[in-house]
Every structure is written in structure tokens, then in C-alpha cells.
Amino acid sequence: MNVFQLAVSNVISLRRRLIGLVLLVSLAAAFCLAAIGVADQAQNAADTGVKESTANRSITVERPVDRTDVSPLTEQAEQRLAALPGVVDVQHQAQVSFAFKDEAIDGVLLYATTHRKALTPPVTASVRKSLFPLRAGEMVLPARAQGDDLRTVLGKRITVDTTRFVSDGEGTGATSSVRVVGLYDPSWQLDGPDAAYTDDATVVNWAAAKAGVPEDSFLSTVGYNQLTILTASSGDVPAVLDSVQAMGFPASTLQQQLHALPTVLELIRLVGKVLLGVLGLLAFAGAITVTGALSRQRAREIGILKALGFRTRTVCVLLVFEMVLVGAAAALLGLVGGAVLSTVTAATLRGIPDLAPYLGGGLLLPSPATSSLLLAATVLVVAAGSLLPARRAARLAPTDAMKDW
């Protein structure tokens, strides 16, 4: 019987004495795997959903208010930005206020806004399947605005009040007619609260009238409120952002925000990292304690092995390999326990609406590479913890080892 077969035989015969260490390490590994698995699944869901989405490839360029040192976002500026390396599209936004009321609606102040493909609002009701691009004189309203229910005007032609420039600080009222062809979820506010998506020509017409400039020169003088730059990939965003800012345009990106997870899932990720450290300490301390205790209890057995000609190195390898087997058993039990625990945890968290989109079905364990690395580290830490007491026991002379130690 070689040393490895002897180690297996010893572990089997000593299983009752080793069960405490196995349970301790396996439970720690299970909690660690479950926490990291749930957090990784949530992050992967967020990354997969937005990694190459238009939102994650977009850069927003704003027109600052009361900043004469910043170039306006004119058609010329749009063309310059579109020519930058890595840019595949530039989508503009113009916005102008208007008011609306009827017999059922007391009165709301809304903002006619041009639609951008990169930021399409979540439509809840419409008169046709494909709303965008909007046709001339069409508008998509929020389902509710300023306490009023706007669903009653879906499909109707309405008259709205706009403003026409008279002189500095003075304007006069004007009216215009548009048809409401859709409604969107009012919680969508990426274009600001109470945005009413309208065809480009109508928005420019109203904005030019309010600014007191000819409609045909509005886009080359006053320009847009905002430009959205789309890059070829999410990896192009940093370089394009630097180029845009170097051109003197104030710009920002949503990329950092899209990597954020809900607080509960971030807490789970933190717990996983803490448990990872705890697992290492428990495995190391447990291996030292158990190996030392077993070595003292098995002094006569070690003495017999030395008397039979087993070298010190061989005895040390035997004792360490026994702990390797124990660590491997604990790691496998931890893997099973982690799978069960992560599944139960995920099922519980899916009951929270804000967390459900981040947690899919199946086993929520870390990736195979991460799981394998964690389990291998568990075995190595147990082996490392057993090394010192194993060497101490193996160095005993046969005559000393045969005594009560």
C-alpha cells in the first residue's frame, strides 16, 4: 500500500473525528459561493443587458444655459461631432414648452421634444404598431402629467398654446394643432419630466417662433438643446468623450451609472468578499488545530510507521495528503451547499420587484473558472494549515513517538 492509498484509508477510518472540520469549511465555502454567485449573476445580467446597448454607447452633449463661452449645438457642430473616429451616429434633441387644457384636463405645461432613436420612451398605448419616426403634426404624451390623466386624448387632435417672440422678455400666445398618437410611461424622464415627443419640424417651428429667429436659420444659429453621440462600441466611449470635451463641448456618459446594482445586491457582493477572507482563516486555523490534535492522538501510529522504515518526509506527506482529502471533501460539499443556498436566496430575492430583473433562473454560482479557483484555494489553504503540525509530528524519533505524546 503506497502513501496515498494509506492516506485515503486513514481518512475513512478517522471520518468521525474529521467531520467537524469538513462541516466548518464546507459551510463557509457554501455561503461564500452563494453570495458571490448571486452578485455575479446580477452584475452579468446588468452588463449583458446594457453592454452594447445604445444607452451604454452614448455620450450626451448639453447646451449650457447662460454660457457664452461654449459653442451652440448647431447643425455644423453636429456634423463635426459625427466626423470623430469611433462615432457612428449623432442624434439631436430640441425642446420647447407649450401648454394644453380641455374640459377634462385643467391645464398642463409640457415640453415638445424631438425623438432620438437611442432613447426611445416606453410606449404604453398607441394608435399604430410603429410610432417612430413621428409623422408631421404628431405627438406622444406621458400617460400622466402634473396630476392630470392624459389618456383621454389618445388618438385625438388637440389644440395647444405656444409662445411667439415679440421683444426681449416679452412674448405673445399662439395656437397650434397636433394629433396625439401615443402615450408613454411618465416615470421615463431621461429627456426631463413632462416631455412630449413631437416630430422635428413642429418642434423647430415652435422653438424658432419662441426665440424670434427665422425657422430656416434656427438650427444654424440657436441650435439644439442636446446631442446624443453613439459610438461603434462601448469601448470607444472614453476616447470619444475625451475628443468631444477637447473640442470645448460639455459632455457626459451614462456608462458608469449602468454598472450600478441595487443596494441589496451590492451588500450581498460585499458579504461574499468578507466570507472569502473568513473562509481562508477558518480553513487554515481548522487544519492546524485538527492536524495537531490528530497527530498527538496518533503518536503510536506514527512511531510504528517510522519504525517500519517510513521516512520523515513520507510521514509528513501522508499527514498533509490526509488534510488535502479532507479539504477536497469540504470543497465539494461546499459546492453543493452553495448551489442550494444561492438558489434559495435568488428565489427569495426575485420576490422583490426591483431585484427580479437581475436574477435569472438556474444555478446562481460563480463562473466555472471562479468556482474552481475558489475550491482549489480552499484545498490549498487546508493543506498549508496542516503543514506545520505535520512536519512536527513526522520529525519525532520512533522511540519518542511510541510514548504518550
Side-chain angles (χ1 to χ4, degrees):
M1 180 179 291
N2 61 38
V3 67
F4 300 111
Q5 292 174 322
L6 183 59
V8 173
S9 177
N10 288 342
V11 169
I12 294 174
S13 63
L14 296 170
R15 60 186 180 277
R16 292 184 179 178
R17 300 182 187 180
L18 297 171
I19 191 67
L21 176 61
V22 171
L23 289 176
L24 181 67
V25 175
S26 63
L27 283 175
F31 278 103
C32 187
L33 283 168
I36 294 176
V38 170
D40 283 354
Q41 166 73 15
Q43 186 64 68
N44 289 337
D47 289 345
T48 300
V50 302
K51 181 63 178 176
E52 294 302 332
S53 68
T54 53
N56 204 40
R57 293 186 291 116
S58 67
I59 297 171
T60 301
V61 184
E62 301 278 359
R63 181 179 70 189
V65 180
D66 300 327
R67 285 282 302 273
T68 58
D69 59 320
V70 178
S71 302
L73 303 181
T74 61
E75 287 180 313
Q76 294 76 14
E78 183 178 12
Q79 294 168 4
R80 290 173 59 199
L81 294 173
L84 290 174
V87 173
V88 295
D89 193 16
V90 178
Q91 300 174 13
H92 51 251
Q93 181 223 62
Q95 202 168 56
V96 60
S97 62
F98 69 93
F100 167 68
K101 67 177 181 178
D102 63 9
E103 294 179 356
I105 300 172
D106 294 333
V108 290
L109 178 65
L110 302 173
Y111 296 87
T113 306
T114 55
H115 168 252
R116 291 171 291 175
K117 291 181 293 183
L119 298 172
T120 296
V123 175
T124 58
S126 63
V127 299
R128 61 175 182 268
K129 185 176 181 180
S130 299
L131 279 182
F132 302 101
L134 295 172
R135 301 166 187 169
E138 290 187 337
M139 180 175 286
V140 178
L141 298 176
R144 294 187 63 86
Q146 299 156 31
D148 282 310
D149 188 344
L150 304 184
R151 292 176 295 178
T152 57
V153 299
L154 178 62
K156 297 180 180 179
R157 182 164 289 278
I158 62 175
T159 300
V160 301
D161 297 318
T162 61
T163 303
R164 186 173 297 277
F165 177 85
V166 175
S167 61
D168 290 340
E170 184 180 353
T172 186
T175 60
S176 186
S177 176
V178 292
R179 181 171 180 250
V180 179
V181 295
L183 301 168
Y184 72 89
D185 185 346
S187 64
W188 171 272
Q189 297 189 3
L190 291 186
D191 283 305
D194 304 321
Y197 294 94
T198 315
D199 68 285
D200 285 23
T202 300
V203 175
V204 172
N205 177 272
W206 295 354
K210 185 173 183 179
V213 300
E215 182 178 347
D216 58 2
S217 65
F218 176 81
L219 295 180
S220 61
T221 54
V222 179
Y224 301 105
N225 295 79
Q226 189 181 93
L227 294 176
T228 297
I229 302 171
L230 291 182
T231 61
S233 70
S234 58
D236 292 320
V237 169
V240 175
L241 180 64
D242 289 342
S243 298
V244 173
Q245 292 175 342
M247 292 169 65
F249 295 106
S252 60
T253 173
L254 293 176
Q255 218 177 48
Q256 293 82 7
Q257 299 178 21
L258 291 172
H259 286 289
L261 288 177
T263 304
V264 173
L265 295 176
E266 285 290 4
L267 180 60
I268 291 175
R269 167 170 287 176
L270 177 62
V271 170
K273 292 179 179 179
V274 172
L275 286 176
L276 187 60
V278 173
L279 170 61
L281 291 175
L282 286 176
F284 190 79
I288 290 178
T289 303
V290 172
T291 304
L294 288 178
S295 297
R296 288 191 293 271
Q297 294 172 9
R298 299 164 64 194
R300 292 182 181 277
E301 176 186 338
I302 294 172
I304 292 173
L305 291 175
K306 296 293 289 290
L308 290 174
F310 278 73
R311 297 180 179 180
T312 298
R313 180 179 178 182
T314 304
V315 175
C316 182
V317 170
L318 172 66
L319 296 176
V320 172
F321 190 68
E322 289 176 1
M323 288 299 102
V324 168
L325 294 176
V326 171
L332 291 176
L333 284 177
L335 180 63
V336 175
V340 174
L341 185 59
S342 65
T343 301
V344 172
T345 302
T348 303
L349 293 177
R350 286 191 198 102
I352 303 174
D354 289 342
L355 304 183
Y358 294 87
L359 301 170
L363 294 178
L364 302 186
L365 288 174
S367 65
T370 301
S371 298
S372 300
L373 183 61
L374 179 61
L375 297 180
T378 301
V379 176
L380 288 175
V381 170
V382 171
S386 68
L387 186 59
L388 183 62
R391 289 180 61 186
R392 180 184 176 190
R395 287 175 177 174
L396 286 175
T399 53
D400 294 333
M402 295 289 289
K403 302 176 183 177
D404 289 333
W405 177 42

